[in-house]
Amino acid sequence: MNVAVVGGAGLVGSAVVDVALAGGHGVVVVDRAAPRRAVPHLRCDLLRVETAALVELFRAQRVDVVVHLVARVDPPKNAADRVEMQRLHRRGTEV
């Protein structure tokens, strides 16, 4: 199975990437930061990337499952801009 881990460069995402790789699965990461493992990835801001780029990546990598782990870790900013926070947390599941 091929797994896309959106937020795969973060603490939890990296652990999911490791478990998926150990299980013999293909992995692709979508994140603002580079992943810790040498896997295919799209380095981008999830709110600014074109949906077509995500679709193309998922098709090219033959993604079967998306694990969405994106989260902003700035509580004051989250509280100040709830609409953007909700868009960010929902965006990885729209494709």
Side-chain angles (χ1 to χ4, degrees), residues 23-88:
H25 302 289
V27 175
V28 60
V29 168
V30 178
D31 203 303
R32 289 187 314 175
R36 297 176 187 177
R37 298 281 188 185
V39 297
H41 66 280
L42 175 62
R43 194 168 175 181
C44 66
D45 182 330
L46 196 57
L47 289 176
R48 289 164 184 78
V49 67
E50 293 291 326
T51 299
L54 292 173
V55 170
E56 177 59 32
L57 176 69
F58 292 173
R59 282 187 182 150
Q61 297 298 321
R62 304 177 135 229
V63 170
D64 300 303
V65 176
V66 176
V67 179
H68 179 56
L69 299 169
V70 171
R72 188 174 1 174
V73 291
D74 186 351
K77 191 170 183 179
N78 290 348
D81 193 351
R82 292 177 186 208
V83 172
E84 183 173 303
M85 180 191 66
Q86 290 171 355
R87 282 184 55 229
L88 175 65

